[in-house]
Amino acid sequence: MAESEMLSNLMQIRAFCQVVDQGSVSRAADELYRTQSAVTRAIRDLEQALDVPLFERHANGMLLTDFGKCVLPRARRAIAELHQIPSQLAKLQGKSGQRRGDTEPLYLFNVRRLQIFISLCKTRHMQTVATLLGLSQPAVSAALKVLENGAGLALLERTPHGMMPSLAGQDIVPNLRRALNELRHIPADIAARRGVLEGTVQVGALPLGRTRLLPQAIIGLTQRYSGVKVVTNESAFSALASELRSGEVDFIFGALRSSDYAADMTTETLFTESMVILARKGHPLLSGAVTQAQLREARWVLPRAETPARRLLDNSFAAMNMPPPDPVVESGDLGIVRGLLLGSDMLAAVSARQLEHELESGELVKLSLDLADTHRAIGLTFRAGSLLSPAAQALVAEIRKVCAQSFTTPDFAFTPLLHREGVD
């Protein structure tokens, strides 16, 4: 089934929220400037699409069922995201003081239209979007025209490099993506209310979490719940943060970042660990105490410049009164780091947990040199105020359990925090 067919109809969701707010179909119809029969039909069609009763009909009004209470939080969030857009566009135009009747963005209440625009922002090519969504190019062009007429601004600009989002287009895309992602979770919320855990979890997987801990948590989750699918995203943190903000990623697991990125994020520290220097078995520097001269002359593979890990290393070497190494290779890919270490006399500064299999087998060995002040907090990063799907909540719980079970050796400090903290 196509994604648009799985997502709830936005006009029906709008009617649903109004009936909840007003307490009756007649008052909701007045608020929406629709007939009572149209609102009744919208609620009926939404109930049929979701295959659950959302209201109990009583003489004195409409009362939410348990399923209705389950759907309402995401329905409200999706509508709220779309209702924010007129004020955002007004600010770009230097306008203010618009009335609600003028700003209700009915042109946005169409799932396919929003999918077309988001796809255009990604691909920058109209025919590509038409092919991807099974539409004609004129249909794609018409959808864009409706959006731009409603916005009163150009949302895409034709350039030699393709159709690029305008400033207005860039500004509203996160809202659109968050609205669609709220709708995406509704079926899984309903299934969970029925006692069935299903749905797709989108995880941002950073290096310090993805080598062993995240795979173990995924195995535990998927063995217990066959209806759950997990998709991992191994992008750099900056890209993952953007995906997290738009709801494309449910949460990020790995080294935590500072508030430079994250006034709109919350974190949960699961453990802390330090970095170590690794070399292959039989490396010349393993025969005795390591001197600063040997470290300066060594060939290094280090994390990329400007990453938190690299800054920690630079500071650690400065504390030893020596300049930071000038790396031969910069890489955050553990497969590359592992291959370079095993096939040469290079040194690498990484978390021991990242290559613990090779350490346990003896293929790689830790140098007898402590890297002071390289402690890093490892844990979970969430979008502030986000509402995780039941499947995402279950994976988070599994990650917490795996971490609690794993860090029992004195080399690693486990610090469980069962609440989210603002990034500081």
Side-chain angles (χ1 to χ4, degrees):
M1 184 181 291
E3 182 188 65
S4 60
E5 295 173 349
M6 293 187 289
L7 298 180
S8 299
N9 181 295
L10 275 164
M11 292 298 284
Q12 294 169 4
I13 289 288
R14 174 174 174 259
F16 166 70
C17 289
Q18 278 298 330
V19 172
V20 174
D21 291 341
Q22 304 304 322
S24 73
V25 169
S26 60
R27 288 193 292 270
D30 291 340
E31 185 71 14
L32 296 169
Y33 302 102
R34 304 284 300 280
T35 65
Q36 290 188 38
S37 61
V39 174
T40 298
R41 186 168 56 253
I43 298 300
R44 182 198 65 206
D45 291 346
L46 181 59
E47 289 179 322
Q48 289 178 349
L50 298 176
D51 194 28
V52 293
L54 299 174
F55 293 100
E56 294 177 358
R57 278 77 172 171
H58 294 275
N60 58 348
M62 305 274 282
L63 300 179
L64 279 173
T65 64
D66 287 343
F67 288 114
K69 293 174 183 176
C70 173
V71 171
L72 184 61
R74 293 206 189 277
R76 288 196 190 283
R77 286 165 176 265
I79 297 299
E81 291 291 350
L82 300 181
H83 277 163
Q84 289 175 14
I85 288 176
S87 61
Q88 293 171 209
L89 296 176
K91 288 180 181 179
L92 290 174
Q93 294 173 301
K95 298 178 181 178
S96 62
Q98 295 184 339
R99 300 180 307 243
R100 179 188 179 281
D102 296 332
T103 60
E104 179 126 31
L106 297 184
Y107 65 96
L108 295 173
F109 285 75
N110 181 289
V111 166
R112 178 59 89 186
R113 199 175 292 153
L114 303 189
Q115 289 173 323
I116 288 171
F117 178 66
I118 291 169
S119 295
L120 283 171
C121 291
K122 288 180 180 178
T123 67
R124 303 175 183 176
H125 189 250
M126 196 168 289
Q127 185 55 56
T128 299
V129 171
T131 301
L132 287 172
L133 298 180
L135 302 171
S136 67
Q137 186 167 327
V140 173
S141 180
L144 176 60
K145 185 175 181 180
V146 171
L147 287 173
E148 292 188 321
N149 287 342
L153 288 167
L155 300 176
L156 289 165
E157 299 171 348
R158 289 172 173 80
T159 75
H161 304 290
M163 301 186 72
M164 306 290 288
S166 66
L167 182 61
Q170 294 174 42
D171 195 52
I172 70 172
V173 162
N175 295 75
L176 302 183
R177 292 171 73 183
R178 285 193 294 267
L180 292 184
N181 280 308
E182 294 293 354
L183 298 184
R184 175 171 62 87
H185 289 309
I186 287 176
D189 289 344
I190 291 173
R193 184 67 185 80
R194 287 171 163 157
V196 178
L197 194 67
E198 62 182 28
T200 300
V201 188
Q202 306 272 353
V203 186
L206 293 170
L208 286 183
R210 68 182 181 231
T211 52
R212 182 177 63 85
L213 299 173
L214 182 58
Q216 284 187 356
I218 292 172
I219 290 169
L221 178 72
T222 54
Q223 285 180 341
R224 190 174 299 112
Y225 304 108
S226 60
V228 173
K229 176 182 177 182
V230 179
V231 177
T232 65
N233 184 330
E234 295 78 23
S235 301
F237 183 83
S238 58
L240 290 178
S242 177
E243 297 288 284
L244 183 65
R245 290 183 173 107
S246 66
E248 297 294 309
V249 162
D250 295 313
F251 62 90
I252 301 170
F253 179 48
L256 303 181
R257 293 326 196 249
S258 70
S259 56
D260 294 344
Y261 283 96
D264 56 347
M265 297 180 190
T266 60
T267 64
E268 179 181 328
T269 300
L270 297 178
F271 60 93
T272 61
E273 64 180 13
S274 299
M275 303 181 75
V276 296
I277 300 176
L278 300 184
R280 66 168 177 83
K281 179 181 179 182
H283 192 285
L285 294 186
L286 296 173
S287 57
V290 181
T291 67
Q292 288 194 6
Q294 289 172 317
L295 291 177
R296 284 193 294 268
E297 294 170 2
R299 292 163 58 81
W300 289 85
V301 50
L302 294 179
R304 288 184 294 270
E306 304 306 320
T307 61
R310 184 68 173 275
R311 288 193 288 270
L312 285 174
L313 285 171
D314 288 350
N315 292 338
S316 183
F317 278 97
M320 291 187 282
N321 296 315
M322 63 177 290
D326 184 16
V328 176
V329 179
E330 294 184 356
S331 178
D333 186 280
L334 287 180
I336 291 175
V337 174
R338 177 183 182 277
L340 291 171
L341 290 179
L342 294 177
S344 74
D345 282 342
M346 287 188 185
L347 301 179
V350 299
S351 158
R353 292 281 174 176
Q354 290 181 278
L355 293 168
E356 64 179 328
H357 175 75
E358 289 77 8
L359 282 168
E360 290 173 357
S361 68
E363 294 176 279
L364 295 178
V365 182
K366 184 173 73 170
L367 265 65
S368 57
L369 176 71
D370 290 331
L371 291 172
D373 300 322
T374 57
H375 291 283
R376 287 186 288 180
I378 314 300
L380 301 159
T381 301
F382 308 91
R383 176 166 55 91
S386 63
L387 180 62
L388 291 180
S389 70
Q393 292 178 43
L395 182 55
V396 165
E398 199 71 29
I399 290 171
R400 290 179 182 135
K401 183 174 74 173
V402 167
C403 290
Q405 293 171 344
S406 297
F407 294 92
T408 57
T409 64
D411 290 336
F412 299 92
F414 173 63
T415 311
L417 295 177
L418 301 181
H419 62 280
R420 298 186 189 182
E421 296 182 339
V423 177
D424 52 32

